[in-house]
Amino acid sequence: MKSTIHRRRFIQAATRAAGASLVPPALSSAWSAPPGKALRAHDPQARALLSRMTLEEKIGQMTQAEQNALKDEGDIERYFLGSLLSGGSSDPKAGNTLQAWTEMYEGYQARALKTRLAIPLLFGVDAVHGHNNVLGAVIFPHNIGLGSTRNPGLVERAARITALEVRATGIQWAFAPCVAVPRDERWGRTYEGFSEDPEVARRLGEAAVRGLQQQRLDHPTSVLACAKHFVGDGGTVMGTGKPRSTDKKRLLDQGDTPMSEAELRRIHLPGYLGAIEAGVGSIMPSYSSWNGVKVSGSRRLLTEILKEEMGFEGFLISDYAAIDQITPDYKNAIEISINAGMDMVMVPNEYVRFFTLLRELVTEGRVKMSRIDDAVLRILRVKAAMGLLAKNPRIRADRRLHRSFGSAAHREVARECVRQSLVLLKNEKNVLPLSKTAARLHVAGRSADDIGDQCGGWTIDWQGRSGEVTTGGVTILAAVRSAVSASTEVTFSADGAGASGADAAVLVMGERPYAEGAGDREDLSLGPDEMAALERLKAAGVPIVAILLSGRPMLIEDALSRCDAMVAAFLPGTEGRGITDVLFGDFKPKGRLSFTWPRSMAQVPINAGDATYEPRFPLGFGLTFS
Ligand code: GLC
């Protein structure tokens, strides 16, 4: 009863702070945990287990190690580890195949079941646009593209397919959805957010959680979701970022978000409203700070607002070594973060040191046993909801799911996501749609035949990489070749040469893959190679259709003036045919920008609602075919 009243009060406060649009009545009145999502219902089972646990077994449940960092797989038993993760790039020793991942997961679970209480592991991966660590998985558009669809049903379907492919490896936890509200286009994680608009983040974040978790967390194809990064990760200001290892520059990522609590609630909280409404079982606090205080050490944010006011019943998992940034004294950092409300720590490498220091902190009374019990209860309540505390928990992979892994049916859903994510920015003289029976089409740009550029970061490797990175997928060049008639000649040049005489040219421009702070940029102009290719096509005197692959809004005035049509394709993933479906008119473009596109760097950051708002393309812009 108490928590429901609290929730209603929080909603009223959130609505007042944000204006009635934030939490529509339907949501506010339905905000008691949806059926099957009342995690507290599993407390009797969780408490029964908790009462039998030693301090070491409890601390083990709060410890998440990187699987690549295990000094000895026996450490799973030795330290009663409750969770492992595979970070962006860590792959099984035997390579990135579906089989290797499945065998790796099952091997680790088998070790966990040898412990006294045989509590299964939670194994987490960054399945942020498909099961993107595994070769052959379907790679969906990153969230910036899904944001342009404004289609919660489609986002839910994409998450459902992702869950099926994650469970095919046995893994049952995805560090997704990212419900950041990126406000500065120069941030390297802009593409991980759905939109600069908090309401879009709320609606699509809720849909993604539903797709991953379904109505019941113990369903054999449900995957525990993790809304991230709580809170204000997308609101940091330029110059406050963590110094980059490459050039020591302090730009945006993991920086500071200076604003009032009312502003923080209005802009950066809605994604968590949606996720909690959908029953999300885990939330990841951010590396960033709020008014100079590290979120991962903020009791106000993690306990008072998220757990007490918002009534979040699941558990908090820290970001990768995020608590290390709270203070140089690691033992004190652990003390601050756990006492602030962190429940599980993604250590991820020094798990023995973390285990030892947290035990000391409890022994010394600096972390109370009641806090340990609350953290472990939250973790066990989620494991119970997932069926992991049952007599014979389902922890082996269901290999029947291997049949649909990367299947044509799954790819069709991703292709639909690509189609609906495309935003038509310009279409002079109706040069689009192109004809499938044209005599010759010339495709240009190095990214035109590059699946790695099409997928972007978080694809097989943490940073992603250009070139052949997946064992599936269709590049834009291959898609053009498959779309046209047998009589149509398709020529290609990376640099734009050789186009003269063609009926039209398709130039693929854009960014190279990146992730996180490595993607922070001080300027959003297109590269010289892209512009040189465009000049060559211009000189050839052919109609030019530009396709822009980017993780964020770019400065495109020069390019726009030199081409006849331009489509923003963001980071579409493996299904390049979704692009040609629109280029050749089988489907009309319907995407609408989920971020504002600036005229110049002087305008950045620029967001709808700014006092001065004269963008190149406003939030919501998108043309279609007449
Ligand atoms: C990363 C990211 C987070 C990810 C985690 C595990 O640094 O900040 O989004 O889930 O570490 O890879």
Side-chain angles (χ1 to χ4, degrees):
M1 189 55 176
K2 184 168 175 285
S3 68
T4 307
I5 292 170
H6 267 270
R7 286 181 189 163
R8 197 166 297 121
R9 276 203 206 112
F10 175 76
I11 287 172
Q12 286 153 3
T15 304
R16 269 198 309 279
S21 66
L22 174 63
V23 184
L27 180 66
S28 57
S29 58
W31 210 32
S32 56
K37 295 291 186 297
L39 294 169
R40 287 175 195 276
H42 300 277
D43 281 7
Q45 190 180 17
R47 287 188 191 283
L49 179 54
L50 180 65
S51 67
R52 299 165 52 207
M53 295 171 75
T54 64
L55 172 59
E56 286 72 15
E57 288 165 333
K58 292 176 182 176
I59 291 175
Q61 286 299 306
M62 297 169 68
T63 307
Q64 183 185 65
E66 164 65 69
Q67 62 90 9
N68 257 351
L70 287 173
K71 290 149 185 80
D72 163 356
E73 289 189 7
D75 281 352
I76 292 172
E77 296 112 288
R78 212 164 282 120
Y79 298 97
F80 313 100
L81 296 180
S83 179
L84 294 175
L85 86 142
S86 265
S89 289
S90 62
D91 53 35
K93 284 121 182 114
N96 270 324
T97 62
L98 170 60
Q99 193 55 29
W101 274 87
T102 306
E103 288 169 4
M104 171 188 77
Y105 167 78
E106 291 181 336
Y108 289 136
Q109 281 291 18
R111 308 290 307 219
L113 296 184
K114 288 182 182 160
T115 55
R116 179 176 76 93
L117 295 170
I119 302 173
L121 289 167
L122 274 180
F123 195 104
V125 288
D126 289 284
V128 294
H129 64 145
H131 197 357
N132 39 254
N133 279 97
V134 184
L135 292 173
V138 179
I139 305 297
F140 285 84
H142 270 295
N143 284 353
I144 187 171
L146 297 180
S148 300
T149 71
R150 303 296 199 286
N151 186 337
L154 186 58
V155 168
E156 183 169 347
R157 287 172 63 204
R160 188 82 301 270
I161 301 290
T162 297
L164 288 170
E165 300 208 349
V166 168
R167 285 306 295 257
T169 53
I171 293 170
Q172 71 300 73
W173 188 15
F175 302 128
C178 177
V179 291
V181 178
R183 303 289 285 180
D184 189 322
E185 296 78 0
R186 296 168 291 186
W187 188 33
R189 306 197 75 165
T190 298
Y191 69 77
E192 295 185 62
F194 290 109
S195 177
E196 70 185 42
D197 180 341
E199 180 56 18
V200 174
R202 187 184 68 77
R203 289 176 58 233
L204 300 188
E206 178 176 351
V209 171
R210 290 192 196 286
L212 286 168
Q213 296 191 168
Q214 301 186 94
Q215 281 306 308
R216 295 181 58 89
L217 274 170
D218 61 355
H219 187 282
T221 66
S222 290
V223 166
L224 175 65
C226 180
K228 69 186 187 181
H229 312 78
F230 186 85
V231 63
D233 52 344
T236 60
V237 295
M238 182 55 84
T240 65
K242 180 187 173 196
R244 281 197 304 203
S245 55
T246 47
D247 54 15
K248 303 301 173 215
K249 281 190 175 181
R250 300 194 57 166
L251 299 180
L252 283 159
D253 194 41
Q254 304 182 20
D256 186 41
T257 299
M259 59 175 59
S260 69
E261 186 172 304
E263 197 70 352
L264 188 74
R265 287 173 184 263
R266 182 177 71 81
I267 297 175
H268 297 287
L269 213 54
Y272 298 91
L273 282 172
I276 292 173
E277 168 59 19
V280 72
S282 67
I283 289 179
M284 185 184 293
S286 176
Y287 282 114
S288 55
S289 305
W290 174 45
N291 294 333
V293 176
K294 280 290 177 187
V295 170
S296 297
S298 167
R299 180 173 169 72
R300 171 71 186 144
L301 293 174
L302 304 189
T303 295
E304 293 173 15
I305 292 181
L306 182 53
K307 291 180 175 180
E308 292 173 355
E309 276 188 6
M310 295 175 76
F312 174 58
E313 299 180 0
F315 68 88
L316 302 184
I317 170 72
S318 81
D319 205 333
Y320 202 98
I323 72 168
D324 304 30
Q325 295 184 20
I326 294 173
T327 174
D329 174 341
Y330 188 49
K331 184 172 179 179
N332 186 214
I334 298 169
E335 176 185 17
I336 292 168
S337 189
I338 300 296
N339 287 333
M342 196 69 76
D343 300 308
M344 184 187 288
V345 173
M346 188 186 295
V347 179
N349 301 325
E350 300 302 318
Y351 54 91
V352 176
R353 186 160 171 249
F354 171 80
F355 183 96
T356 308
L357 292 174
L358 181 50
R359 184 171 53 186
E360 284 178 18
L361 286 163
V362 177
T363 311
E364 294 161 9
R366 292 167 59 181
V367 172
K368 291 190 173 26
M369 182 60 86
S370 56
R371 179 68 269 277
I372 298 291
D373 286 346
D374 173 57
V376 178
L377 175 65
R378 285 173 174 270
I379 294 166
L380 293 180
R381 137 196 318 166
V382 171
K383 288 190 175 184
M386 295 171 73
L388 292 176
L389 303 189
K391 234 172 186 32
N392 299 306
R394 184 188 304 109
I395 55 156
R396 287 184 59 76
D398 179 349
R399 280 176 172 69
R400 289 171 300 174
L401 295 173
H402 283 206
R403 285 182 227 131
S404 63
F405 189 89
S407 65
H410 287 183
R411 293 182 189 280
E412 269 312 303
V413 177
R415 183 172 174 173
E416 177 65 25
C417 291
V418 175
R419 282 196 287 262
Q420 293 198 28
S421 69
L422 303 181
V423 179
L424 182 59
L425 300 177
K426 177 180 182 181
N427 190 24
E428 297 274 292
K429 303 187 290 279
N430 290 326
V431 70
L432 286 177
L434 295 172
S435 163
K436 291 183 181 180
T437 55
R440 177 160 86 93
L441 294 174
H442 186 79
V443 179
R446 52 158 283 183
S447 298
D449 198 29
D450 190 313
I451 203 81
D453 288 358
Q454 221 167 279
C455 291
W458 296 103
T459 309
I460 303 300
D461 283 334
W462 173 44
Q463 291 292 316
R465 64 175 185 272
S466 295
E468 182 47 56
V469 287
T470 74
T471 53
V474 178
T475 65
I476 295 169
L477 173 60
V480 170
R481 287 195 163 125
S482 72
V484 297
S485 68
S487 62
T488 301
E489 185 192 6
V490 176
T491 49
F492 168 68
S493 63
D495 64 2
S500 56
D503 296 73
V506 176
L507 172 60
V508 182
M509 314 170 84
E511 297 189 294
R512 305 289 166 262
Y514 55 81
E516 303 192 41
D520 283 1
R521 289 180 60 168
E522 293 168 283
D523 184 89
L524 300 178
S525 304
L526 292 170
D529 294 355
E530 331 280 334
M531 294 308 291
L534 182 53
E535 287 303 336
R536 285 191 191 92
L537 294 177
K538 193 81 188 145
V542 296
I544 301 168
V545 175
I547 309 288
L548 188 55
L549 299 180
S550 70
R552 66 191 121 200
M554 304 291 288
L555 295 186
I556 52 171
E557 201 53 57
D558 289 350
L560 214 51
S561 62
R562 288 168 172 73
C563 64
D564 301 280
M566 184 177 282
V567 176
F570 307 105
L571 298 171
T574 47
E575 306 315 307
R577 288 195 181 90
I579 293 175
T580 46
D581 288 343
V582 170
L583 287 193
F584 291 97
D586 296 337
F587 290 82
K588 291 189 175 183
K590 53 196 292 192
R592 290 183 293 116
L593 294 179
S594 61
F595 288 86
T596 300
W597 286 50
R599 290 182 186 283
S600 68
M601 288 313 295
Q603 290 188 327
V604 177
I606 180 170
N607 296 286
D610 288 352
T612 306
Y613 188 68
E614 294 161 356
R616 183 62 187 84
F617 293 111
L619 178 72
F621 181 89
L623 303 175
T624 191
F625 295 154
S626 45

